[in-house]
């Protein structure tokens, strides 16, 4: 700003008024100052603007994942792609932070709010009795929820996991499967509980036995749970449903190591699709969703809230079963 003032032959106060669109300078002088600023490549300093209450032009997203997990997990990558596409249209950036637990996420939200680093945040993977929702309200930090159920007190986007879960169980029932296992994500997440309940009810109604084991979305955990299930003797399941693509592909590899033919001896289903699910042998039966659109809907809801229009959560398009060659008769 001092360089611009010297070139224009005016005070720094005049430069500040011109650059920030404030009254106090003539239209001609404002245009001359803006022209000099462009010539010099002037860019406003974000933290300095934040101290004066200006918009940060950024939206924050905190994910409870390691950077290694993020590189292989298709859901998060596609979600971020959809979020960034919507932000780019509006000239906003994405502040992305990976953390280890909810307390660390809360610390990030407090820091962002205090430093005015973001104009609002997206909250992903809601927990049962999630403390983050009340925390962002206390901070006065605008937020939108990416969830599996609508939250009446917060805008966002939600996707019904019950519909495709019932479709999946019906598919396995029609193939004659009576012993089914589910390799889920961590307990405590709302979508984990919803899928557990929906699958347990659908299996019970059809006389199918269901075993649920917990994992953490990684290939290693998926392989470990698969090995345990396939070595369980006479109670071994004839179909395994995995909560994501990474665990399903790892489970397929374990089945091959143990000489369990897919789909001859075991049917395998992934609750997310990815290019990897399509190129492995056999290609995996999956649940397909437009995850990028899901993220974009949540961003649109957040921008509406920033404009003072706090809307009810909007339902995203649900998942649909795509049958490939990894499922067959029991």
């Amino acid at each position: 700003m001092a360089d611009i003032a010297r070139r224009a032959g005016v005070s720094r106060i005049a430069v500040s008024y011109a650059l920030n669109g404030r009254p106090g300078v003539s239209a001609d002088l404002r245009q001359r100052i803006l022209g000099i600023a462009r010539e010099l490549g002037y860019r406003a300093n974000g933290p300095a603007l934040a101290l004066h209450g200006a918009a940060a032009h950024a939206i924050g997203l905190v994910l409870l994942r390691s950077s290694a997990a993020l590189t292989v997990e298709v859901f998060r990558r596609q979600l971020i792609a959809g979020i960034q596409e919507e932000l780019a249209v509006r000239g906003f950036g994405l502040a992305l932070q990976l953390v280890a637990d909810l307390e660390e996420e809360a610390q990030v939200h407090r820091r962002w709010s205090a430093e005015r680093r973001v104009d609002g945040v997206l909250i992903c993977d809601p927990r049962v009795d999630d403390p983050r929702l009340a925390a962002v309200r206390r901070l006065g930090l605008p937020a939108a929820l990416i969830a599996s159920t609508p939250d009446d007190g917060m805008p966002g986007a939600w996707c019904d996991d019950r519909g495709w879960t019932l479709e999946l169980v019906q598919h396995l029932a029609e193939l004659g499967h009576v012993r089914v296992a589910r390799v889920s994500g961590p307990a405590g997440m709302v979508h984990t509980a919803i899928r557990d309940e929906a699958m347990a009810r659908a299996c019970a109604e059809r006389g199918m036995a269901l075993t649920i084991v917990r994992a953490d979305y990684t290939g290693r955990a998926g392989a470990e749970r698969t090995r345990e299930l396939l070595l369980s003797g006479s109670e071994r399941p004839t179909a395994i449903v995995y909560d994501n693509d990474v665990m399903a592909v790892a489970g397929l590899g374990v089945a091959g190591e143990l000489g369990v033919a897919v789909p001859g001896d075991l049917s395998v289903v992934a609750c997310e699709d990815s290019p990897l699910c399509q190129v492995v042998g056999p290609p995996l039966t999956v649940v397909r969703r437009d995850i990028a659109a899901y993220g974009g809907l949540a961003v649109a809801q957040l921008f509406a809230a920033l404009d003072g229009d706090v809307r009810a959560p909007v339902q995203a398009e649900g998942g649909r079963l795509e049958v490939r060659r990894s499922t067959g008769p029991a």
Side-chain angles (χ1 to χ4, degrees):
M1 289 177 66
D3 293 338
I4 296 170
R6 281 193 294 271
R7 284 276 297 271
V10 298
S11 69
R12 287 188 58 175
I13 295 295
V15 173
S16 176
Y17 287 167
L19 294 178
N20 291 292
R22 297 170 60 188
V25 294
S26 68
D28 289 342
L29 179 56
R30 187 186 308 277
Q31 290 304 314
R32 185 155 64 90
I33 289 172
L34 291 175
I36 294 171
R38 285 192 294 270
E39 291 175 14
L40 296 178
Y42 171 81
R43 292 291 182 274
N45 181 280
L49 286 173
L51 289 174
H52 290 278
H57 292 288
I59 296 300
L61 175 66
V62 183
L63 295 177
L64 275 73
R65 291 289 189 280
S66 67
S67 56
L70 193 63
T71 60
V72 297
E73 193 179 13
V74 68
F75 180 89
R76 297 297 176 272
R77 294 202 314 275
Q78 292 184 3
L79 183 70
I80 291 170
I83 290 169
Q84 288 188 314
E85 183 175 357
E86 187 70 21
L87 291 177
V89 171
R90 302 169 186 269
F92 271 61
L94 176 65
L96 176 64
Q97 183 82 41
L98 304 178
V99 297
D101 52 44
L102 290 180
E103 176 53 36
E104 189 177 354
E105 180 169 351
Q107 291 173 7
V108 172
H109 285 160
R110 287 194 292 269
R111 185 175 73 250
W112 280 348
S113 178
E115 297 175 357
R116 298 179 184 175
R117 292 293 182 91
V118 298
D119 297 299
V121 295
L122 297 166
I123 297 179
C124 197
D125 288 335
R127 270 57 174 180
V128 178
D129 299 323
D130 199 315
R132 296 173 296 175
L133 309 189
V136 294
R137 291 187 183 108
R138 286 195 299 271
L139 290 170
L141 186 61
L145 194 60
I146 301 172
S148 296
T149 57
D151 183 292
D152 293 336
M154 183 171 290
W158 66 284
C159 184
D160 181 17
D161 284 338
R162 292 184 175 88
W164 61 256
T165 299
L166 298 179
E167 184 184 4
L168 167 57
V169 172
Q170 182 61 30
H171 170 64
L172 296 177
E174 290 173 353
L175 292 172
H177 293 277
V178 295
R179 293 192 306 279
V180 179
R182 166 170 149 73
V183 180
S184 82
M189 292 186 176
V190 172
H191 74 262
T192 299
I194 289 174
R195 295 179 187 183
D196 284 352
E197 184 272 334
M199 195 164 180
R201 177 175 296 183
C203 286
E205 290 173 351
R206 293 161 178 78
M208 302 160 67
L210 174 66
T211 300
I212 298 177
V213 295
R214 304 294 185 209
D216 61 2
Y217 299 123
T218 65
R220 182 174 67 177
E224 290 173 352
R225 299 294 90 77
T226 303
R227 193 176 301 276
E228 294 166 3
L229 289 166
L230 295 182
L231 295 177
S232 58
S234 60
E235 298 303 311
R236 188 177 83 183
T238 59
I240 303 179
V241 178
Y242 297 85
D243 249 1
N244 75 350
D245 56 317
V246 177
M247 295 193 297
V249 171
L252 185 66
V254 170
E257 293 173 13
L258 297 177
V260 177
V262 176
D265 301 320
L266 176 71
S267 287
V268 172
V269 180
C271 292
E272 288 172 8
D273 194 17
S274 71
L276 194 56
C277 292
Q278 301 171 38
V279 300
V280 293
L284 296 181
T285 293
V286 297
V287 175
R288 299 198 67 181
R289 293 185 290 171
D290 190 343
I291 300 169
Y294 189 21
L297 279 175
V299 173
Q301 287 268 337
L302 180 54
F303 275 111
L306 290 174
D307 290 336
D309 180 16
V310 180
R311 302 172 180 174
V314 63
Q315 184 173 359
E317 181 182 349
R320 65 185 187 277
L321 185 67
E322 180 163 320
V323 179
R324 297 181 183 141
R325 292 193 284 114
S326 69
T327 51

